Structures are given as structure tokens and as C-alpha cells.
Amino acid sequence: MAAAGASISSQPFLKGRRSDGGFGLGFSPSDLGGLSSPAVVQICLRRLPHPSRRLEVKAVGNVFGNYFKVATYGESHGGGVGCTISGCPPRLPLCEADMQAELDRRRPGQSRITTPRKETDTCKILSGISEGMTTGTPIHVFVPNTDQRSHDYSEMSIAYRPSHADATYDFKYGIRSVQGGGRSSARETIGRVAAGAVAKKILRIKSGVEILAYVSQVHKVVLPDGVIDYDSVTADQIESNIVRCPDPEYAQKMIDAIDAVRVKGDSVGGVVTCIARNVPRGLGSPVFDKLEAEFAKAMMSLPATRGVEFGSGFSGALMMGSQHNDEFYTDENGVIRTRTNRSGGIQGGISNGETIYMRVCFKPTSTIGKKQNTVTRNREETELLARGRHDPCVLPRAVPMVEAMAALVLVDQLMAQIAQCELFPINLDLQRSVGEPINGSVKVPSESYPSV
């Protein structure tokens, strides 16, 4: 048996270094000699990870999407912010002006009811474009920071701002970028809005999808249900005033409400309503990847969000099934539709072809110009009067952010639908191609997609 032990120990797999610093399997060849014949030695080998792999840290939380992937980067007072887009289809006409139009809606310093920080947020596409067309390779977008005032954050380097991410970043990482809130700043959303502009263009060209968002509530000023027609509201109506509410009367009331708290150094929250028209049927998946679940994750990842509801939302709890159900009918084109849309365009986690609508709740801006009780990083109680430039209400600039996240969800789901359910010919008795809007009209001007 000793000879057998020596023979086994001569094999290469017994000579490697063990995780405890020794060599071999954890016993010496002489240990085998104590076994009485005809004992059988059973050896189980387990592959240990390489030490360097065990120390690997993945940068989680910075990438969104499965097929159309967006990774954002940068901090409020760093050199700049931006994104890298992976999975964009090739041969899409695209230029910086496509992104800039959306970034201009998001940028600071637009009006008296937004932060006075002055940034042009001028974007530069550094890769993924050739002769005005996407190449199918990663698209890298960069936006420089040009109006930083790091000295405004000296007090906040010591004391935590109430309800801000200052404390939790310290709790998690043990270090944080103090100036401007670092990664928790809303400047991170620049990358999302730039990528959302690309997603919007794909959706419009492929399926005629139109995504619009507007402010429907500021503090206690609430736009009544039914005032805005989801089928006819336009971007021009939304952009006609600084608060981005399509109803002029309620827009002024909202502006007055923001002005009232702005001059006092306080802030207010509210609600952004988002609609998506001409969404193809069949987007989304059952169970864990329901379309509204994907939307909810996207919207709740935005700064300051506190809730999201679809269709009838929480008011559906006050109805009976006979009141809430959306009855089906066949329209004049033979298309199955619903007479009402309390489902918000999604049933069973899958789009049904009706207009998708949701409401996203935003809390008041955390950083305010009033003294607040807090503690320092050394656990000492103190008072903090925050300086810096901050929005008295995030809602006007949140509108393009909400649209962008809705577009990123829908383009990702569009690509998933094509990959799974249109790989083979569709069932024409039950299905429609995602390139065929539910109303049967293709809303793609020929000049928007030149032949190549």
C-alpha cells in the first residue's frame, strides 16, 4: 500500500499548492500506509479559484439594459460625464445634434425655477460613428463639466445632508466624492439622456413609437385627470412653458408654487406623467421580466424618485373588477383593441398595443438653503446650512430623464422581441411585426433613413 501511495503522490495534480499553503491533497503519502488492505482510497478534486480572481471587484450598478446596453460614468465635479452605448444597430443615421436636442432640455440654468449652475452640456461622440452612421460598435459620448464650484461643498465634506446620499455612500464605500454629490448627483443622468436620444430614434424609425413626458403635479397643484388627451398632446405644448406642463393654466400655478418655496430656500416635489404611443404589441416577458417591472426599475433608478404607477395605479384598488376591466373589441381595421385603458397599455407584463402611460413621483430636492440638524462624519451633532446651486424642484428637468429611461426600456424590449419571437415567421393570425405600428401606419419619413 505504501508503494501505491508513492505512486499516487507522484502524479502532477498532487503537487500543486493548497489554499492553506501546503502542497497536495492535505495528507502525506505516509498517511496511506496506515490503511489496511484492500482499502479503497477515494479522492475528490475541487478546483480552487485563482487568488487574483477571488480579489476581483465588479463595478456594479453602472450599466442598464440587456441588448441595448448603456454604461454611464463621471461625477458632478469631475472632468466630465457621459456614457458608452453597446448593442446599437449599425447603419442608424446619428449625429451629435440628435443627442444635443435632448441634453438641452435637461441642462441646468434653463430658467429661474431650475439650478443656476451654467453648463452648456455640449456632447461629443468619440466612437461608434462613421460618415454619419452607426457602425454597430460601442458609441462613446463625453460631456465636459465646466462650471464647478467645489468650495461650496466644504461644510458638506464634514456634515451629512439630511435625506441625501452622503451618509449611505460613506456607509457603503468608506469614502466618497464630496463635491457636487459625486456619483449621486443628477449630472449622472446626462449619459442616460444622450443614450435615450439614440433609443428614441431607433423606436421612431423602426416602429413609429413616440414617447412624451410632462409635469402633472407640483406639490399640491395637481393637473386633473382627463385634462390632457394622451392621444393628441404634443411636444410643443409641453415645451411651451418653463415647467413643462401642457396646460397653460395649471403650468402657471405650478410655476408660482415653485417660486414660493424657491425664495425661501426650500424645495418641493411632484409627479411626471409619461406616455408612449404606437408601442408594438408583445413587448415584455412573463413573471420576473414584465414590462412594467422593467419600467419600474428604470424610473426608480433616477435620482429623487419615490414611486411609479401604471394605468389606474393605486386608484384601481378602489374599483371592482367589473369597473376596472378593459373590454376588448375589434376596430374597423380588424385589429383587437380595448375600449378603455385602465391597464395602461400593459397586460400580463406584455404590451397590448394601446398607449402606455405611467406616473413617476419625485421627492423634494434634498439640498436646501435652510438650516437643518444633522451629524458629522465624526458622529457629532451639528447644524448644516448647505451651499451650492440646486433645483428648487427637479420636475422640469426630470421630464427628459423620464422619457430617456422609457425609451431605453422599450428599445431593449423591442430587440428582445425580434430576437426571440420574430426569428421565424410570425403567426399572422395572432401576431404583428414590431415594425408595424398598431394603427397600421408607418410614421417613418423616407429621408430619416437613407438607403445605403
Side-chain angles (χ1 to χ4, degrees):
M1 194 63 188
S7 176
I8 293 175
S9 66
S10 67
Q11 299 303 312
F13 63 81
L14 292 180
K15 294 183 179 179
R17 181 180 290 273
R18 299 196 310 270
S19 60
D20 62 0
F23 289 83
L25 295 177
F27 54 82
S28 64
S30 60
D31 294 333
L32 298 176
L35 298 175
S36 59
S37 181
V40 176
V41 179
Q42 292 184 336
I43 301 174
C44 296
L45 298 178
R46 179 171 62 90
R47 182 177 181 180
L48 294 173
H50 191 277
S52 64
R53 293 186 184 133
R54 287 202 299 270
L55 297 176
E56 181 181 354
V57 177
K58 294 191 179 293
V60 296
N62 300 301
V63 181
F64 184 84
N66 297 304
Y67 299 88
F68 190 91
K69 286 180 176 287
V70 179
T72 68
Y73 66 87
E75 298 172 343
S76 176
H77 283 225
V81 292
C83 68
T84 300
I85 306 167
S86 301
C88 180
R91 303 183 305 282
L92 173 73
L94 187 69
C95 64
E96 287 152 350
D98 293 319
M99 299 179 182
Q100 197 61 54
E102 296 295 329
L103 291 173
D104 288 346
R105 300 172 64 215
R106 197 224 69 94
R107 69 175 176 82
Q110 297 180 32
S111 69
R112 69 177 187 272
I113 61 173
T114 64
T115 172
R117 179 172 175 171
K118 296 297 182 182
E119 297 276 2
T120 61
D121 286 351
T122 303
C123 68
K124 183 70 175 176
I125 299 176
L126 302 180
S127 68
I129 305 292
S130 178
E131 298 180 350
M133 305 284 279
T134 58
T135 61
T137 58
I139 300 170
H140 184 77
V141 184
F142 175 70
V143 174
N145 294 325
T146 60
D147 188 25
Q148 304 99 315
R149 294 183 187 173
S150 298
H151 60 274
D152 284 347
Y153 293 84
S154 56
E155 295 93 343
M156 287 173 266
S157 66
I158 302 171
Y160 294 128
R161 286 173 287 179
S163 289
H164 206 280
D166 298 342
T168 50
Y169 269 52
D170 266 358
F171 298 162
K172 181 174 179 64
Y173 300 108
I175 189 173
R176 62 186 168 93
S177 175
V178 175
Q179 291 77 17
R183 210 45 194 145
S184 66
S185 167
R187 278 196 72 73
E188 175 274 331
T189 62
I190 284 177
R192 307 186 195 211
V193 173
V198 182
K200 277 186 174 183
K201 190 163 191 177
I202 295 171
L203 290 165
R204 184 175 67 253
I205 290 175
K206 179 64 178 176
S207 301
V209 175
E210 183 181 21
I211 299 172
L212 297 172
Y214 60 87
V215 176
S216 55
Q217 179 178 343
V218 169
H219 198 212
K220 297 179 180 179
V221 181
V222 182
L223 190 63
D225 290 340
V227 171
I228 303 301
D229 183 355
Y230 293 159
D231 293 329
S232 62
V233 64
T234 67
D236 287 342
Q237 290 175 315
I238 294 168
E239 297 295 322
S240 65
N241 55 75
I242 59 177
V243 78
R244 294 198 167 94
C245 173
D247 183 272
E249 177 186 352
Y250 279 89
Q252 188 57 53
K253 292 179 180 179
M254 293 175 182
I255 293 170
D256 293 342
I258 297 173
D259 276 335
V261 297
R262 177 179 60 85
V263 297
K264 298 176 183 178
D266 217 330
S267 63
V268 289
V271 176
V272 170
T273 294
C274 182
I275 62 175
R277 299 192 286 233
N278 297 320
V279 176
R281 299 187 296 189
L283 303 192
S285 299
V287 193
F288 299 114
D289 295 331
K290 291 182 177 181
L291 186 55
E292 61 261 61
E294 298 298 312
F295 276 129
K297 178 181 179 179
M299 298 306 165
M300 292 304 293
S301 73
L302 287 169
T305 49
R306 278 297 170 267
V308 59
E309 60 180 8
F310 304 88
S312 61
F314 285 98
S315 66
L318 303 176
M319 302 180 184
M320 294 179 290
S322 57
Q323 299 171 313
H324 190 271
N325 288 344
D326 296 319
E327 295 183 345
F328 289 106
Y329 76 101
T330 303
D331 69 11
E332 63 276 9
N333 297 317
V335 178
I336 297 176
R337 305 288 299 275
T338 60
R339 296 189 183 281
T340 54
N341 191 18
R342 299 183 186 93
S343 301
I346 305 172
Q347 294 174 329
I350 299 170
S351 61
N352 64 4
E354 304 296 334
T355 297
I356 292 175
Y357 66 96
M358 68 195 87
R359 289 173 289 275
V360 186
C361 171
F362 289 83
K363 68 181 179 70
T365 314
S366 297
T367 308
I368 59 176
K370 285 179 173 288
K371 277 189 177 181
Q372 298 181 90
N373 295 319
T374 186
V375 297
T376 67
R377 299 178 89 177
N378 295 327
R379 299 175 177 81
E380 297 176 353
E381 294 188 1
T382 187
E383 286 186 337
L384 174 65
L385 178 60
R387 293 188 292 167
R389 297 156 294 174
H390 306 280
D391 294 88
C393 179
V394 302
L395 294 165
R397 296 205 296 138
V399 165
M401 302 178 198
V402 169
E403 290 179 2
M405 294 311 297
L408 292 176
V409 169
L410 287 176
V411 78
D412 203 50
Q413 294 299 316
L414 186 80
M415 295 171 77
Q417 177 71 4
I418 293 172
Q420 181 188 20
C421 297
E422 295 197 14
L423 189 62
F424 299 112
I426 62 174
N427 183 344
L428 294 176
D429 291 333
L430 300 173
Q431 297 175 289
R432 298 171 71 98
S433 170
V434 295
E436 188 178 356
I438 192 66
N439 62 9
S441 62
V442 179
K443 297 186 174 181
V444 186
S446 57
E447 62 270 18
S448 71
Y449 198 88
S451 59
V452 294

